[in-house]
Amino acid sequence: VLVRKKILPSVITYSALITACEGGGQWQRALGFLRMMPNSHLKPNVVSYSAAISACEKGGQWQHAVHLLDTMRNDAAVPDVIAYNGAISACEKEEQWQVALSLFTGMQSVGVEPDVITYNACIAVCWASCKW
């Protein structure tokens, strides 16, 4: 639709599309939109990545969520607590306690302060995995 009306998409447009996919449980589409951004000469930002990570979390795709967090760092988009929380929560839902706790430790080592959501997800993954 945007192309037919000659409206050029922006980072905000793509981030909104990714967020809509997240809400609709369409993690594959969210990743597709994220991958399309460089083709439009747009660089994903922390909001784009965080929305895609959250879409993967909701879709039970912890590996993709963690991979996106790594890609984000390599792409010079500095992950914030929201991005880390999404990846940690994705691990929590799939009982990947070792990965979740590694992310928890890693976020602090780069100066990202955990919040209540972070602590709750870490407690939940340890509890669910009987590592408490």
Side-chain angles (χ1 to χ4, degrees):
V1 174
L2 295 174
V3 174
R4 283 185 282 184
K5 295 190 179 208
K6 296 185 182 180
I7 299 171
L8 297 176
S10 66
V11 172
I12 295 169
T13 307
Y14 276 105
S15 295
L17 288 168
I18 295 166
T19 300
C21 292
E22 168 201 348
Q26 297 182 21
W27 65 270
Q28 293 111 327
R29 275 205 166 146
L31 294 181
F33 285 126
L34 189 70
R35 289 186 192 114
M36 287 171 60
M37 291 179 73
N39 296 337
S40 298
H41 306 288
L42 298 170
K43 188 171 183 144
N45 64 13
V46 67
V47 175
S48 311
Y49 276 111
S50 293
I53 289 168
S54 186
C56 290
E57 173 213 341
K58 288 177 175 54
Q61 302 297 313
W62 71 270
Q63 300 99 328
H64 286 295
V66 172
H67 176 73
L68 284 172
L69 195 64
D70 289 335
T71 302
M72 187 177 183
R73 284 184 234 143
N74 295 335
D75 203 19
V78 180
D80 60 5
V81 70
I82 296 168
Y84 276 101
N85 284 349
I88 291 170
S89 292
C91 293
E92 178 242 319
K93 288 183 171 64
E94 300 301 317
E95 298 183 9
Q96 298 296 319
W97 68 272
Q98 292 169 314
V99 179
L101 295 181
S102 175
L103 292 172
F104 176 72
T105 303
M107 72 187 285
Q108 294 174 84
S109 70
V110 296
V112 178
E113 288 295 317
D115 63 10
V116 169
I117 295 168
T118 316
Y119 289 114
N120 283 341
C122 288
I123 291 167
V125 73
C126 289
W127 182 266
S129 302
C130 298
K131 301 299 177 194
W132 185 252

Short mmCIF file of all heavy atoms in Angstrom, two decimals, residues 7-36:
data_model
loop_
_atom_site.label_atom_id
_atom_site.label_comp_id
_atom_site.label_asym_id
_atom_site.label_seq_id
_atom_site.Cartn_x
_atom_site.Cartn_y
_atom_site.Cartn_z
N ILE A 7 4.62 6.50 -0.73
CA ILE A 7 4.99 6.95 0.61
C ILE A 7 6.17 6.07 1.03
O ILE A 7 6.06 4.85 1.07
CB ILE A 7 3.83 6.79 1.61
CG1 ILE A 7 2.64 7.65 1.16
CG2 ILE A 7 4.28 7.15 3.01
CD1 ILE A 7 1.38 7.40 1.96
N LEU A 8 7.28 6.70 1.31
CA LEU A 8 8.44 5.94 1.71
C LEU A 8 8.35 5.57 3.19
O LEU A 8 8.13 6.43 4.03
CB LEU A 8 9.72 6.76 1.45
CG LEU A 8 9.99 7.11 -0.01
CD1 LEU A 8 11.22 7.99 -0.12
CD2 LEU A 8 10.17 5.85 -0.83
N PRO A 9 8.54 4.29 3.48
CA PRO A 9 8.49 3.88 4.88
C PRO A 9 9.70 4.41 5.65
O PRO A 9 10.77 4.61 5.08
CB PRO A 9 8.50 2.35 4.81
CG PRO A 9 9.06 2.02 3.48
CD PRO A 9 8.75 3.18 2.58
N SER A 10 9.51 4.63 6.92
CA SER A 10 10.59 5.11 7.78
C SER A 10 10.86 4.05 8.85
O SER A 10 10.17 3.03 8.92
CB SER A 10 10.17 6.42 8.46
OG SER A 10 9.11 6.18 9.35
N VAL A 11 11.83 4.31 9.69
CA VAL A 11 12.10 3.42 10.82
C VAL A 11 10.87 3.32 11.70
O VAL A 11 10.51 2.23 12.19
CB VAL A 11 13.33 3.91 11.63
CG1 VAL A 11 13.51 3.10 12.90
CG2 VAL A 11 14.59 3.86 10.78
N ILE A 12 10.16 4.43 11.87
CA ILE A 12 8.95 4.44 12.69
C ILE A 12 7.87 3.56 12.05
O ILE A 12 7.19 2.80 12.74
CB ILE A 12 8.45 5.88 12.90
CG1 ILE A 12 9.47 6.67 13.73
CG2 ILE A 12 7.08 5.90 13.57
CD1 ILE A 12 9.23 8.15 13.79
N THR A 13 7.74 3.62 10.74
CA THR A 13 6.75 2.81 10.03
C THR A 13 7.03 1.33 10.24
O THR A 13 6.14 0.55 10.60
CB THR A 13 6.78 3.11 8.51
OG1 THR A 13 6.65 4.51 8.31
CG2 THR A 13 5.67 2.37 7.78
N TYR A 14 8.29 0.95 10.01
CA TYR A 14 8.66 -0.46 10.19
C TYR A 14 8.49 -0.89 11.65
O TYR A 14 8.02 -2.00 11.91
CB TYR A 14 10.09 -0.71 9.73
CG TYR A 14 10.20 -0.96 8.25
CD1 TYR A 14 10.69 0.01 7.39
CD2 TYR A 14 9.81 -2.18 7.70
CE1 TYR A 14 10.80 -0.22 6.03
CE2 TYR A 14 9.90 -2.41 6.33
CZ TYR A 14 10.40 -1.44 5.50
OH TYR A 14 10.51 -1.67 4.16
N SER A 15 8.87 -0.05 12.58
CA SER A 15 8.73 -0.40 14.00
C SER A 15 7.26 -0.61 14.34
O SER A 15 6.92 -1.53 15.10
CB SER A 15 9.34 0.69 14.88
OG SER A 15 10.73 0.76 14.67
N ALA A 16 6.39 0.21 13.79
CA ALA A 16 4.95 0.06 14.02
C ALA A 16 4.44 -1.26 13.42
O ALA A 16 3.63 -1.96 14.04
CB ALA A 16 4.19 1.24 13.44
N LEU A 17 4.93 -1.61 12.24
CA LEU A 17 4.54 -2.87 11.62
C LEU A 17 5.01 -4.06 12.46
O LEU A 17 4.26 -5.02 12.66
CB LEU A 17 5.13 -2.97 10.20
CG LEU A 17 4.51 -2.08 9.14
CD1 LEU A 17 5.37 -2.06 7.88
CD2 LEU A 17 3.10 -2.56 8.82
N ILE A 18 6.23 -3.98 12.93
CA ILE A 18 6.79 -5.06 13.76
C ILE A 18 5.99 -5.19 15.05
O ILE A 18 5.65 -6.30 15.47
CB ILE A 18 8.28 -4.83 14.03
CG1 ILE A 18 9.07 -4.91 12.71
CG2 ILE A 18 8.83 -5.82 15.06
CD1 ILE A 18 10.50 -4.38 12.80
N THR A 19 5.65 -4.07 15.65
CA THR A 19 4.85 -4.07 16.88
C THR A 19 3.46 -4.67 16.62
O THR A 19 2.94 -5.43 17.45
CB THR A 19 4.73 -2.65 17.46
OG1 THR A 19 6.05 -2.18 17.75
CG2 THR A 19 3.89 -2.62 18.71
N ALA A 20 2.88 -4.35 15.48
CA ALA A 20 1.56 -4.92 15.14
C ALA A 20 1.67 -6.43 14.98
O ALA A 20 0.78 -7.17 15.43
CB ALA A 20 1.04 -4.28 13.86
N CYS A 21 2.74 -6.89 14.39
CA CYS A 21 2.96 -8.34 14.24
C CYS A 21 3.12 -9.00 15.60
O CYS A 21 2.62 -10.10 15.83
CB CYS A 21 4.19 -8.63 13.38
SG CYS A 21 3.99 -8.16 11.65
N GLU A 22 3.82 -8.33 16.48
CA GLU A 22 4.01 -8.83 17.85
C GLU A 22 2.66 -9.05 18.51
O GLU A 22 2.38 -10.11 19.07
CB GLU A 22 4.83 -7.83 18.66
CG GLU A 22 4.86 -8.10 20.14
CD GLU A 22 5.23 -6.88 20.96
OE1 GLU A 22 5.69 -5.86 20.40
OE2 GLU A 22 5.04 -6.94 22.18
N GLY A 23 1.80 -8.05 18.42
CA GLY A 23 0.47 -8.13 19.02
C GLY A 23 -0.40 -9.19 18.38
O GLY A 23 -1.28 -9.75 19.01
N GLY A 24 -0.14 -9.48 17.11
CA GLY A 24 -0.93 -10.47 16.39
C GLY A 24 -0.33 -11.86 16.40
O GLY A 24 -0.83 -12.75 15.71
N GLY A 25 0.75 -12.04 17.15
CA GLY A 25 1.37 -13.36 17.25
C GLY A 25 2.06 -13.82 15.98
O GLY A 25 2.21 -15.01 15.75
N GLN A 26 2.50 -12.88 15.17
CA GLN A 26 3.13 -13.22 13.89
C GLN A 26 4.63 -12.91 13.93
O GLN A 26 5.12 -11.99 13.26
CB GLN A 26 2.44 -12.46 12.77
CG GLN A 26 0.98 -12.86 12.63
CD GLN A 26 0.31 -12.16 11.48
OE1 GLN A 26 0.96 -11.67 10.56
NE2 GLN A 26 -1.00 -12.10 11.53
N TRP A 27 5.36 -13.72 14.67
CA TRP A 27 6.78 -13.46 14.86
C TRP A 27 7.56 -13.56 13.55
O TRP A 27 8.51 -12.81 13.35
CB TRP A 27 7.36 -14.37 15.95
CG TRP A 27 7.35 -15.83 15.61
CD1 TRP A 27 6.36 -16.72 15.88
CD2 TRP A 27 8.38 -16.55 14.94
NE1 TRP A 27 6.70 -17.96 15.42
CE2 TRP A 27 7.95 -17.89 14.84
CE3 TRP A 27 9.62 -16.20 14.42
CZ2 TRP A 27 8.71 -18.88 14.23
CZ3 TRP A 27 10.39 -17.19 13.81
CH2 TRP A 27 9.93 -18.51 13.73
N GLN A 28 7.16 -14.48 12.66
CA GLN A 28 7.88 -14.60 11.38
C GLN A 28 7.75 -13.32 10.55
O GLN A 28 8.72 -12.87 9.94
CB GLN A 28 7.36 -15.79 10.55
CG GLN A 28 7.66 -17.13 11.16
CD GLN A 28 6.40 -17.82 11.64
OE1 GLN A 28 5.45 -17.17 12.10
NE2 GLN A 28 6.39 -19.14 11.59
N ARG A 29 6.56 -12.77 10.53
CA ARG A 29 6.36 -11.51 9.79
C ARG A 29 7.15 -10.38 10.41
O ARG A 29 7.71 -9.53 9.71
CB ARG A 29 4.88 -11.13 9.76
CG ARG A 29 4.16 -11.78 8.65
CD ARG A 29 2.96 -10.94 8.28
NE ARG A 29 2.49 -11.44 7.01
CZ ARG A 29 1.24 -11.47 6.66
NH1 ARG A 29 0.33 -11.01 7.47
NH2 ARG A 29 0.90 -11.93 5.49
N ALA A 30 7.19 -10.35 11.76
CA ALA A 30 7.96 -9.32 12.45
C ALA A 30 9.42 -9.39 12.02
O ALA A 30 10.03 -8.36 11.70
CB ALA A 30 7.83 -9.48 13.96
N LEU A 31 9.97 -10.60 11.99
CA LEU A 31 11.37 -10.77 11.56
C LEU A 31 11.54 -10.38 10.09
O LEU A 31 12.56 -9.80 9.71
CB LEU A 31 11.83 -12.21 11.78
CG LEU A 31 11.94 -12.67 13.22
CD1 LEU A 31 12.44 -14.11 13.28
CD2 LEU A 31 12.84 -11.75 14.03
N GLY A 32 10.53 -10.68 9.28
CA GLY A 32 10.58 -10.30 7.87
C GLY A 32 10.66 -8.79 7.69
O GLY A 32 11.46 -8.29 6.89
N PHE A 33 9.85 -8.06 8.44
CA PHE A 33 9.89 -6.60 8.35
C PHE A 33 11.23 -6.06 8.84
O PHE A 33 11.78 -5.13 8.25
CB PHE A 33 8.74 -5.96 9.13
CG PHE A 33 7.40 -6.07 8.44
CD1 PHE A 33 6.32 -6.62 9.10
CD2 PHE A 33 7.23 -5.61 7.14
CE1 PHE A 33 5.08 -6.72 8.48
CE2 PHE A 33 6.00 -5.71 6.50
CZ PHE A 33 4.92 -6.27 7.18
N LEU A 34 11.75 -6.65 9.90
CA LEU A 34 13.06 -6.22 10.41
C LEU A 34 14.14 -6.42 9.35
O LEU A 34 14.99 -5.56 9.14
CB LEU A 34 13.40 -6.99 11.70
CG LEU A 34 14.63 -6.50 12.44
CD1 LEU A 34 14.37 -5.14 13.09
CD2 LEU A 34 15.04 -7.51 13.51
N ARG A 35 14.08 -7.56 8.66
CA ARG A 35 15.06 -7.85 7.61
C ARG A 35 14.89 -6.96 6.39
O ARG A 35 15.83 -6.77 5.63
CB ARG A 35 14.97 -9.32 7.21
CG ARG A 35 15.49 -10.26 8.26
CD ARG A 35 15.50 -11.70 7.77
NE ARG A 35 15.72 -12.58 8.89
CZ ARG A 35 14.84 -13.46 9.36
NH1 ARG A 35 13.66 -13.59 8.77
NH2 ARG A 35 15.13 -14.21 10.40
N MET A 36 13.69 -6.46 6.17
CA MET A 36 13.43 -5.60 5.02
C MET A 36 14.00 -4.19 5.19
O MET A 36 14.23 -3.49 4.20
CB MET A 36 11.91 -5.49 4.76
CG MET A 36 11.30 -6.73 4.19
SD MET A 36 9.48 -6.64 4.15
CE MET A 36 9.21 -5.23 3.09
#
